[in-house]
């Protein structure tokens, strides 16, 4: 077994062991499973649709959700509480995508899965009673990387119109690890430098330029991207590059805001129900939902 695969399996196991501490949803949605076709006839993308109950409208906004897990971990069960909460709070369908993971499926497999899901939803919105003109993206950690990169892809390919991007502690905006927050926190706080390097070794195929904007979006062209709301904890090694990404978006003319949450670590929003350890988590997820409500009702 390769070093990258060993790392991935260990992280998957430790991550899944943490999930019970995320709690249970206060209000449950209806959940439907769809499989989105791809160019590979033997592979389709599993997607869980979280649909709020008792809404009278026949055409709901859609939040395409990409879970975190350093590109190598996470699945359709790790972010269930977040998915219910976002769907009910935003009165929107959350399309929670089970994208392929590295190192078995390195870049750009997972990214292409998210983009393909957005394309299908845009083109087939009536099949899921969705509004094709109100599609937003959301992701945490590695999922935030995929979420913002698909906005670049949609712009570059003249693809679906994405109305907003909610980016939760964006992972790998840059691969440089040279910011003050990396230097201060990168040896002790998750994701540590060791975890970051190991995950990116699994995600980026040998011979691929690691500075590609579709891998490290801080290196990209940020013009004509949808409005962004970025959230990060004060004790996250990724703090400064999240601030830098917000700055890059604003300098490119994109409406963007970054919120830094005091004394919070990476992952605090996913585990918002554990208030003792993540005191700002509930506030943060509610502020993200407010962002969605603003862009959907604009």
């Amino acid at each position: 077994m390769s070093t990258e695969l060993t790392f991935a399996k260990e992280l998957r196991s430790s991550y899944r062991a943490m999930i019970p501490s995320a709690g249970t949803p206060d209000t449950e949605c209806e959940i439907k499973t769809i499989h989105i076709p791809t160019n590979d006839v033997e592979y389709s993308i599993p997607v869980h649709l979280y649909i709020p109950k008792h809404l009278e409208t026949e055409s709901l906004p859609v939040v395409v959700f990409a879970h975190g897990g350093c590109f190598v971990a996470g699945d359709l069960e790790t972010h269930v509480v977040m998915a219910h909460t976002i769907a009910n709070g935003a009165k929107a369908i959350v399309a929670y995508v089970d994208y392929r993971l590295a190192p078995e499926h390195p870049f750009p497999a997972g990214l292409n899965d998210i983009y393909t899901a957005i394309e299908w939803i845009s083109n087939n919105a009536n099949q899921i009673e969705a509004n094709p003109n109100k599609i937003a993206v959301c992701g945490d950690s590695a999922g935030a990387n995929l979420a913002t990169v698909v906005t670049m892809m949609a712009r570059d390919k003249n693809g679906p119109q994405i109305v907003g991007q909610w980016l939760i502690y964006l992972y790998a905006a840059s691969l440089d690890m040279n910011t003050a927050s990396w230097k201060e926190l990168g040896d002790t706080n998750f994701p540590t430098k060791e975890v970051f390097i190991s995950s990116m070794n699994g995600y980026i195929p040998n011979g691929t330029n690691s500075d590609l904007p579709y891998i490290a979006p801080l290196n990209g062209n940020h013009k004509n991207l949808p409005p962004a709301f970025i959230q990060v904890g004060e004790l996250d090694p990724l703090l400064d590059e999240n601030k830098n990404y917000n700055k890059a978006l604003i300098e490119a003319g994109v409406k963007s805001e970054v919120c830094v949450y005091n004394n919070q670590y990476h992952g605090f929003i996913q585990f918002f129900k554990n208030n003792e350890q993540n005191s700002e988590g509930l506030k943060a997820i509610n502020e993200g939902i407010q962002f969605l409500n603003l862009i959907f009702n604009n």
Side-chain angles (χ1 to χ4, degrees), residues 242-256:
N242 275 248
K243 290 180 177 179
N244 292 342
Y245 195 65
N246 177 67
K247 181 181 178 183
L249 291 174
I250 292 171
E251 288 178 348
V254 176
K255 186 176 180 180
S256 183

Side-chain angles (χ1 to χ4, degrees), residues 42-61:
E42 296 183 358
Y43 171 67
S44 59
I45 306 163
V47 178
H48 282 180
L49 302 178
Y50 286 74
I51 306 167
K53 298 176 181 177
H54 312 304
L55 293 183
E56 296 180 1
T57 179
E58 296 180 356
S59 180
L60 293 175

Side-chain angles (χ1 to χ4, degrees), residues 87-236:
N88 282 311
K91 297 179 176 60
I93 297 169
V94 170
Y96 182 161
V97 183
D98 191 19
Y99 63 88
R100 289 170 291 176
L101 299 176
E104 297 94 329
H105 304 284
F107 172 86
L111 175 62
N112 286 341
D113 288 349
I114 300 293
Y115 186 76
T116 298
I118 293 171
E119 269 196 322
W120 187 93
I121 289 167
S122 178
N123 294 331
N124 300 276
N126 62 317
Q127 294 189 33
I128 60 171
E129 298 183 339
N131 185 338
N133 299 313
K134 293 185 177 182
I135 298 174
V137 291
C138 173
D140 68 323
S141 195
N145 179 292
L146 300 175
T148 197
V149 169
V150 293
T151 69
M152 296 180 179
M153 293 179 70
R155 176 202 60 199
D156 297 345
K157 296 173 178 285
N158 293 315
Q161 183 68 35
I162 299 172
V163 297
Q165 47 179 328
W166 174 12
L167 310 177
I168 302 170
Y169 25 84
L170 170 62
Y171 192 82
S174 165
L175 273 62
D176 293 339
M177 292 188 295
N178 61 359
T179 63
S181 60
W182 265 119
K183 292 172 183 176
E184 178 185 356
L185 304 168
D187 292 327
T188 55
N189 292 10
F190 189 89
T192 62
K193 291 177 182 177
E194 182 180 5
V195 165
F196 186 79
I197 292 168
S198 295
S199 69
M200 299 313 291
N201 284 344
Y203 183 58
I204 304 171
N206 289 336
T208 301
N209 179 3
S210 61
D211 289 329
L212 288 174
Y214 284 6
I215 293 174
L218 192 54
N219 299 330
N221 168 16
H222 305 107
K223 292 185 180 298
N224 301 314
L225 296 180
F229 183 57
I230 304 170
Q231 297 172 300
V232 64
E234 181 184 31
L235 301 177
D236 193 327

Side-chain angles (χ1 to χ4, degrees), residues 18-35:
M18 294 172 59
I19 298 309
S21 67
T24 56
D26 293 325
T27 305
E28 294 193 354
C29 301
E30 179 184 2
I31 303 175
K32 294 182 179 179
T33 301
I34 61 173
H35 288 83

